[in-house]
Amino acid sequence: MSIAILTGLPPAGSSLEGDLRSLGFDVRTAADAAEAATMLAAVPAGERVALVDPRFVGHPHALRLALTDPRYPVAAVAGALTARPEARAALAGAAADGETAPDLLATRLEAAGTAVHRPELGVLVAEVPADAEARAKAMGNVAAIDDEALRLRSAVKSRDGFFTTFCISPYSRYLARWCARRGLTPNQVTTASLLTALIAAGCAATGTRPGFIAAGVLLIASFVLDCTDGQLARYSLQYSTLGAWLDATFDRAKEYAYYAGLALGAARGGDDVWALALGAMVLQTCRHVVDFAFNEANHDATANTSPTAALSGKLDSVGWTVWARRMIILPIGERWALIAVLTALTTPRIVFLVLLAGCAFAACYTTAGRVLRSVTRKARRTDRAARALYDLSDSGPLAEGVRATLGRAVPAGPYTAPLLALLGAAVLLAGPVLAHNGATWQGIAQALAYTVLTGLAVARPLKGALDWLLPPVLRAGEYCLVLALAAHSSAPGALPAAFGLVAAVAYHHYDTVYRIRGGTGAPPHWLVRAIGGHEGRVLAVTIAAVLWPGQGFTIALTVLAAAIALAVLSESIRFWVSSGAPAVHDETGEPA
């Protein structure tokens, strides 16, 4: 149990001890500063410890934000300081002379280079009044604000989509509180959301109208639970490494499993829409990679301004344009609502056609805006950003070989890397898409040319204005090749097998993104080499299409999908359940 030490005797009538106990602390009260120092030294090094000024006046939620958030080794508000086990040595150093005043220790820790998280309190009160008059005023301020109502509002993201903000969050926050009061954890709610979505996919797979209606209803229910898990985490500050992984990956698993369910349901009715389902997954994944790559390239860049960004900021100052711009990019709430309604009322083919049209427009809108921002801003990108873009490119041993042997011949230029990548993708896809020659020896030659061109694309540090386009272009090239070869194959089951292969590879790419976001870097190099890199997989799939046409191609795709899934899932699970993985939750409100 975490230990809270009051550094003196609290005034008569103070609720401080009770508030700390309600937050799960074992409260120990010192008679004076000397005894508080003795108590602090006696706390085992493996325990979280909090030091609280006995004069503290504030809302319990202010203490909760400061003292119980597991994401920060050290956190503080006025009159209260906490240190997790990994920061106990730093705290001991700051308190070496017997000092136990929380505010002074926080200042010392920051001066020594230890990051001290200070939560945004808004209108919440956290004060150390100097006299009785100031104390009475502070207590009046506490009484004037409903701590629970504010806590409930703060459980909802400050920036979210229109559908989520106005159609889900007004009641899902109360569901989150209901879960908290019954001891449910965010991970349990996340798992319930996944199971609900999988049942929805199963209903869609029946191919019947009642099944489609049930699927639509359950998909919305899954989204409600998806919102609830994050709100529960914020409401009760239950952040965890496992929760970060589940939250990051399950949204994609749910949506893509639902696509598969719709395709199976359509097949039962005699309509083959597997190509549309795979196309929707490819488009949606590439949209996400655009978002991730652009943000990674620019979030720590210097001189990161542009006229386009300034215009966007002006538009955001006009209320209705904010919601219009958030809706037209089809974030997860709007997208799932659209899918659910169309599933219940129409056919899977119509669902996918509308989804592809909407997502294609959204992709063009967001990508065009980001290209304009990039070419008009004078950003100077960091080495960290260049490394992140290289990791997101997922280059394997063949591309690395090209980079090492021919990289010096690549001319330096602001747009060299994206142009080489676009040329490589065009060479790769022109044959399978236009001439239908992907499953020929000519297709293998095109795959080799793609390998050389994309290897040259990553030969220099990716610091150009549009170098963030490299990862999404490579994803589009690889995924669309698999789609084209499977669609043009006469082999039964080739498209479902291709769907499984792209899903396995896409999981690896999402996993890479979330690791980079957490500051731990990309997956280990051996894993990237073991699964071939994007160019190795492109070559492997093309060779399989040439050597084993017909049913052999389906078997090859299935084996490759299973091998990649086994490799990336086992390493991903090992990483995310390890103590070294970051508990990073998406609080940005960026569309998913």
Side-chain angles (χ1 to χ4, degrees):
M1 177 180 287
S2 299
I3 296 170
I5 299 172
L6 295 180
T7 58
L9 299 175
S14 172
S15 64
L16 185 55
E17 291 184 70
D19 290 341
L20 290 169
R21 288 193 179 95
S22 71
L23 298 178
F25 284 98
D26 176 11
V27 181
R28 301 175 185 180
T29 304
D32 52 34
E35 186 179 2
T38 302
M39 288 181 173
L40 176 61
V43 176
E47 297 285 348
R48 173 196 279 268
V49 66
L51 291 167
V52 183
D53 192 306
R55 299 168 296 167
F56 177 89
V57 174
H59 289 97
H61 192 47
L63 287 173
R64 180 181 290 106
L65 291 172
L67 304 183
T68 67
D69 195 326
R71 295 174 295 177
Y72 306 104
V74 182
V77 291
L81 169 75
T82 186
R84 288 176 56 84
E86 58 266 34
R88 287 291 305 281
L91 178 61
D97 60 353
E99 181 60 61
T100 57
D103 294 342
L104 181 56
L105 289 176
T107 301
R108 289 182 177 181
L109 285 166
E110 288 178 318
T114 300
V116 178
H117 172 66
R118 299 181 184 273
E120 292 287 340
L121 297 181
V123 297
L124 290 172
V125 176
E127 300 179 15
V128 181
D131 52 40
E133 181 180 354
R135 182 176 182 82
K137 181 180 178 181
M139 292 179 69
N141 292 336
V142 171
I145 297 172
D146 187 340
D147 177 270
E148 177 60 22
L150 189 65
R151 182 185 176 192
L152 206 55
R153 287 198 300 273
S154 66
V156 178
K157 281 184 182 179
S158 59
R159 184 177 184 270
D160 220 328
F162 180 90
F163 180 76
T164 304
T165 299
F166 295 104
C167 301
I168 303 297
S169 292
Y171 58 88
S172 62
R173 69 184 74 180
Y174 295 101
L175 180 58
R177 182 171 66 181
W178 183 89
C179 292
R181 291 177 175 177
R182 282 151 184 81
L184 296 176
T185 67
N187 292 351
Q188 291 171 330
V189 178
T190 302
T191 303
S193 175
L194 174 66
L195 293 175
T196 304
L198 293 179
I199 295 172
C203 291
T206 63
T208 64
R209 181 54 51 194
F212 288 147
I213 294 173
V217 172
L218 288 170
L219 186 64
I220 293 297
S222 175
F223 183 64
V224 172
L225 292 172
D226 181 59
C227 294
T228 301
D229 65 0
Q231 292 165 359
L232 174 58
R234 287 183 286 273
Y235 181 85
S236 57
L237 297 184
Q238 296 184 71
Y239 300 104
S240 68
T241 296
L242 180 61
W245 176 59
L246 296 177
D247 183 63
T249 57
F250 275 16
D251 281 351
R252 306 289 80 80
K254 289 180 287 189
E255 185 167 358
Y256 299 158
Y258 192 83
Y259 291 176
L262 283 174
L264 288 170
R268 286 179 176 271
D271 189 11
D272 186 354
V273 298
W274 275 106
L276 295 177
L278 180 51
M281 181 167 65
V282 168
L283 179 56
Q284 191 57 37
T285 304
C286 290
R287 283 186 62 198
H288 286 140
V289 177
V290 167
D291 294 339
F292 298 145
F294 179 81
N295 290 334
E296 284 300 323
N298 291 287
H299 89 271
D300 59 355
T302 57
N304 200 15
T305 59
S306 73
T308 309
L311 175 61
S312 179
K314 291 180 180 179
L315 289 174
D316 281 346
S317 66
V318 182
W320 68 268
T321 66
V322 175
W323 297 117
R325 293 168 69 210
R326 290 186 191 177
M327 290 175 68
I328 63 175
I329 61 175
L330 278 183
I332 187 169
E334 280 75 357
R335 192 169 66 250
W336 282 26
L338 176 68
I339 293 171
V341 171
L342 291 177
T343 299
L345 300 180
T346 65
T347 66
R349 179 171 291 274
I350 292 176
V351 173
F352 285 123
L353 290 174
V354 173
L355 183 63
L356 284 166
C359 288
F361 174 80
C364 292
Y365 172 80
T366 55
T367 305
R370 285 169 176 171
V371 168
L372 286 174
R373 288 190 184 194
S374 298
V375 298
T376 56
R377 67 181 18 150
K378 304 299 182 182
R380 291 185 295 276
R381 299 205 167 88
T382 63
D383 291 337
R384 186 218 59 82
R387 180 67 204 182
L389 290 179
Y390 180 79
D391 290 337
L392 288 174
S393 74
D394 193 32
S395 295
L398 296 178
E400 288 179 342
V402 172
R403 180 190 185 198
T405 56
L406 303 176
R408 294 181 180 179
V410 177
Y415 307 119
T416 300
L419 287 176
L420 284 170
L422 284 169
L423 180 60
V427 169
L428 177 69
L429 297 177
V433 173
L434 300 179
H436 299 180
N437 66 356
T440 65
W441 292 105
Q442 184 178 346
I444 294 178
Q446 291 162 349
L448 288 171
Y450 167 85
T451 298
V452 173
L453 289 168
T454 55
L456 295 175
V458 296
R460 293 184 178 273
L462 300 176
K463 295 185 177 182
L466 295 179
D467 285 359
W468 58 268
L469 284 171
L470 197 67
V473 169
L474 299 182
R475 296 297 79 75
E478 178 183 358
Y479 297 166
C480 288
L481 175 76
V482 176
L483 170 59
L485 291 177
H488 295 145
S489 171
S490 59
L495 278 167
F499 188 96
L501 174 59
V502 172
V505 175
Y507 176 87
H508 166 62
H509 292 142
Y510 281 116
D511 188 52
T512 301
V513 165
Y514 296 128
R515 294 195 197 205
I516 293 173
R517 274 186 171 182
T520 60
H525 192 57
W526 68 261
L527 178 65
V528 178
R529 296 178 68 89
I531 61 176
H534 66 91
E535 79 288 353
R537 292 187 296 270
V538 159
L539 199 55
V541 171
T542 305
I543 292 173
V546 174
L547 297 182
W548 303 297
Q551 191 62 37
F553 184 52
T554 300
I555 295 173
L557 290 178
T558 304
V559 171
L560 185 59
I564 291 175
L566 179 63
V568 300
L569 277 172
S570 58
E571 163 55 23
S572 177
I573 292 171
R574 181 209 63 78
F575 172 78
W576 286 105
V577 301
S578 70
S579 58
V584 178
H585 292 252
D586 178 20
E587 303 297 332
T588 64
E590 288 293 327

